[in-house]
């Protein structure tokens, strides 16, 4: 089951899980930063309306 999908949200637990696995040499395809030291955040207009 994917941890991250297009249009999905990543909580702190998912980010910790991914970073831990990357440190253990897991490859995460299609990332802007394969080390996952940085994440690209895209805001949804609905988020700004509350």
């Amino acid at each position: 089951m994917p941890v991250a999908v297009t249009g999905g949200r990543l909580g702190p637990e998912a980010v910790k899980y991914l970073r831990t696995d990357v440190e253990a040499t897991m490859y995460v395809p299609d990332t802007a930063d394969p080390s996952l030291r940085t994440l690209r955040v895209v805001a949804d207009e609905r988020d700004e309306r509350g």
Side-chain angles (χ1 to χ4, degrees):
M1 177 161 294
V3 173
V5 295
T6 301
R9 294 175 182 238
L10 289 179
E13 299 85 11
V15 173
K16 181 179 177 182
Y17 170 78
L18 288 170
R19 285 185 173 158
T20 299
D21 286 355
V22 165
E23 289 172 5
T25 69
M26 180 182 80
Y27 172 71
V28 181
D30 303 323
T31 57
D33 176 6
S35 72
L36 297 184
R37 288 187 199 123
T38 60
L39 298 173
R40 182 179 298 160
V41 176
V42 179
D44 186 324
E45 292 176 6
R46 294 175 288 182
D47 292 341
E48 297 191 17
R49 287 186 274 171

